[in-house]
Amino acid sequence: MARGSLSMTRLLALIALFFCLRAAAMSPAFLDQTMMAVVRDRLASGQAAAQTQQAWQVLKRQADKDLAQPLMSVTEKGLMPPGGSRHDYLSLSAYWWPDPQHPDDRWIRRDGEINPASKNNQSDGVRLAAFTSRVQVLTLAWYFSGEPKYADKAIALLRHWFLDPPSKMNPNLNFAQGVPGVAAGRSSGILDGRYFATRVVDSLILLRAASGWRKEDEQGMQSWMQEYLTWLENSKAGKREARAANNHGNWYSVQLAGIAWYLQKTPLITQQVRATRARMQQQISADGSQPLELARTRSFHYSYFNLQALVALAVLAERSGAGDLWRSDAKDPSGTKKVGILTALDFMAPWTDSTRPWPYQSRDRISERLIPLLSQADNSLHEPRYQQFVRRATFHAPDKTQRGALIEAQRETWLLSLPGIR
């Protein structure tokens, strides 16, 4: 009798696991689809908050513009990658410049100073960001409106970049963030691929419900993502990036965990959550500051940027059952109190007020970029811990160079996370 009971228990556990994995396959990694469905219903019934309606109208206008834009491919760049194939991704490191004293054969690093040569169509860095943004915007426009034309264009973009033989990208970043005369590609260039695990993975999962998504599209994307994941885990560049102590290490974990979610490799998610929890203890001080990021010339940006990766990992950790990265743990064996993401968010939250001086070196600061992170924390914790900061955000852009970042922050706050819904 006991044996029969045990077998039944195991059977029920396996059935539960099957349905969990099936649900996981249909749910985005980083977006909260349950919340998005509520937003969609409110928009359709005219009951959405004014901020949500505004964010939706801005998104729809951008999606309508993106409908008219051409497809995009890594094969369009002007420079030839060192490997001799235009199908290889190629980008140049933004902070490296020709040495004025040796302009022909030596480059030097100037932290925070962006070399315009890294931001044009000769390489793929700008193209990748634009491509993934269009895919995400079009997918969201389809989700909230139900109009097939948006999904059809997003699918066409994905096929052209990843699947069509004449235009597809090889699944590696061997030549990312290269420096002429120094390195053809660097491990830090893996950071470029973060959008594959965030914008692209979530779009792929949502588009499974689109009428234009085909079985062969799914099979092709599964194959591409598996090859890219293998490269991330086994290449020298990937292994080195996994050891990065600063934001690079966290964004590496975001990529592995996000793609693992798409491929239903749950143990890999758990592995990356554990690695991140350990890394956080060295990244975040007891007061919540992030010394490695504060040492940069763009200290506010990188303090936010590291938290963006950590919040994404916390959301996926919770969704996959891999643990809680939000809260600090009990004391470790040495008696030292551990830190959680909330420790760092508590430190940063007061600087969502752009009139409050940032006391560290910083070339740029967009205070409202923190707002969606605070909103996501509140929704995950089911408490209004940061609502006072979220509610007073205006997302006003007096500087045109900040407009894109603020539009994205407003969208993530009022269309994708919806403050106070829980």
Side-chain angles (χ1 to χ4, degrees):
M1 185 69 178
R3 285 186 179 179
S5 298
L6 182 61
S7 298
M8 181 59 70
T9 300
R10 287 177 175 171
L11 177 60
L12 291 173
L14 287 172
I15 292 172
L17 177 61
F18 169 79
F19 282 107
C20 284
L21 290 175
R22 187 175 180 182
M26 297 305 294
S27 173
F30 305 104
L31 296 175
D32 188 332
Q33 192 169 356
T34 300
M35 184 174 296
M36 289 168 58
V38 173
V39 174
R40 182 174 60 187
D41 290 345
R42 290 185 179 180
L43 285 169
S45 64
Q47 297 178 346
Q51 298 96 322
T52 299
Q53 293 178 19
Q54 182 183 15
W56 161 239
Q57 290 302 322
V58 171
L59 175 75
K60 188 177 185 302
R61 284 196 295 271
Q62 184 58 56
D64 289 336
K65 291 179 181 178
D66 290 342
L67 285 173
Q69 297 301 314
L71 302 180
M72 308 175 76
S73 165
V74 293
T75 60
E76 297 167 7
K77 57 183 164 287
L79 296 173
M80 176 66 73
S85 172
R86 292 194 187 277
H87 294 275
D88 285 329
Y89 176 88
L90 172 71
S91 65
L92 301 179
S93 184
Y95 299 153
W96 285 75
W97 296 71
D99 184 344
Q101 297 181 357
H102 305 274
D104 296 328
D105 59 2
R106 185 185 301 176
W107 285 50
I108 57 175
R109 188 171 185 272
R110 289 153 54 175
D111 187 42
E113 297 184 42
I114 298 175
N115 186 341
S118 68
K119 302 296 182 183
N120 58 38
N121 285 327
Q122 291 297 103
S123 56
D124 293 314
V126 173
R127 185 176 293 104
L128 173 60
F131 158 71
T132 56
S133 177
R134 287 179 192 174
V135 168
Q136 182 186 53
V137 165
L138 288 161
T139 300
L140 291 175
W142 162 74
Y143 179 84
F144 286 112
S145 73
E147 297 187 52
K149 62 182 179 180
Y150 298 120
D152 291 345
K153 185 57 180 263
I155 291 168
L157 283 162
L158 289 165
R159 287 173 182 155
H160 195 67
W161 186 283
F162 291 110
L163 303 177
D164 295 341
S167 56
K168 68 180 182 179
M169 173 185 164
N170 291 333
N172 68 72
L173 294 176
N174 288 324
F175 307 115
Q177 292 195 21
V179 180
V182 176
R186 299 183 305 136
S187 61
S188 58
I190 288 176
L191 184 67
D192 289 10
R194 64 191 182 277
Y195 295 133
F196 293 143
T198 54
R199 294 172 176 174
V200 172
V201 160
D202 279 353
S203 295
L204 287 171
I205 293 173
L206 288 172
L207 287 168
R208 284 171 173 164
S211 60
W213 189 247
R214 305 181 305 220
K215 180 180 179 180
E216 51 266 38
D217 295 325
E218 183 67 30
Q219 292 173 337
M221 287 307 310
Q222 291 265 340
S223 177
W224 194 97
M225 286 293 185
Q226 180 57 65
E227 289 187 60
Y228 179 61
L229 179 63
T230 299
W231 181 85
L232 283 173
E233 291 189 281
N234 298 307
S235 65
K236 289 183 179 179
K239 291 179 179 179
R240 183 173 181 180
E241 192 73 347
R243 299 191 296 270
N246 64 352
N247 66 81
H248 281 260
N250 291 333
W251 280 112
Y252 176 83
S253 289
V254 168
Q255 290 199 57
L256 264 66
I259 293 171
W261 176 266
Y262 177 65
L263 298 175
Q264 297 188 56
K265 296 178 178 290
T266 305
L268 181 55
I269 299 175
T270 302
Q271 178 193 91
Q272 292 306 309
V273 170
R274 289 174 179 168
T276 301
R277 183 179 290 111
R279 196 184 295 121
M280 281 167 51
Q281 307 313 310
Q282 308 303 317
Q283 291 179 335
I284 303 173
S285 298
D287 68 352
S289 63
Q290 302 171 66
L292 293 175
E293 313 305 338
L294 291 180
R296 304 292 297 274
T297 62
R298 301 178 67 199
S299 62
F300 185 92
H301 166 79
Y302 282 108
S303 293
Y304 149 77
F305 190 54
N306 190 44
L307 276 172
Q308 186 185 29
L310 288 173
V311 167
L313 285 161
V315 168
L316 185 51
E318 181 181 21
R319 192 160 296 163
S320 64
D324 182 354
L325 292 176
W326 295 108
R327 301 170 179 85
S328 58
D329 297 324
K331 293 181 179 179
D332 66 21
S334 69
T336 303
K337 191 176 186 298
K338 293 186 177 181
V339 299
I341 295 173
L342 293 180
T343 313
L345 287 176
D346 286 349
F347 177 87
M348 291 294 293
W351 280 287
T352 56
D353 179 0
S354 60
T355 65
R356 179 171 180 165
W358 176 251
Y360 307 94
Q361 183 179 10
S362 185
R363 295 179 181 275
D364 55 352
R365 172 184 174 186
I366 306 178
S367 299
E368 289 88 346
R369 296 189 85 177
L370 290 165
I371 297 299
L373 307 185
L374 300 177
S375 184
Q376 284 179 295
D378 278 358
N379 287 332
S380 293
L381 296 167
H382 306 287
E383 63 179 54
R385 186 185 186 102
Y386 300 115
Q387 283 301 295
Q388 61 173 313
F389 304 105
V390 175
R391 293 287 177 175
R392 72 186 183 198
T394 63
F395 301 103
H396 177 61
D399 184 346
K400 291 183 179 180
T401 62
Q402 299 182 358
R403 188 171 184 271
L406 289 174
I407 286 174
E408 188 171 359
Q410 185 179 36
R411 177 197 311 156
E412 291 173 356
T413 302
W414 284 102
L415 201 59
L416 305 179
S417 71
L418 203 57
I421 193 172
R422 293 179 178 175

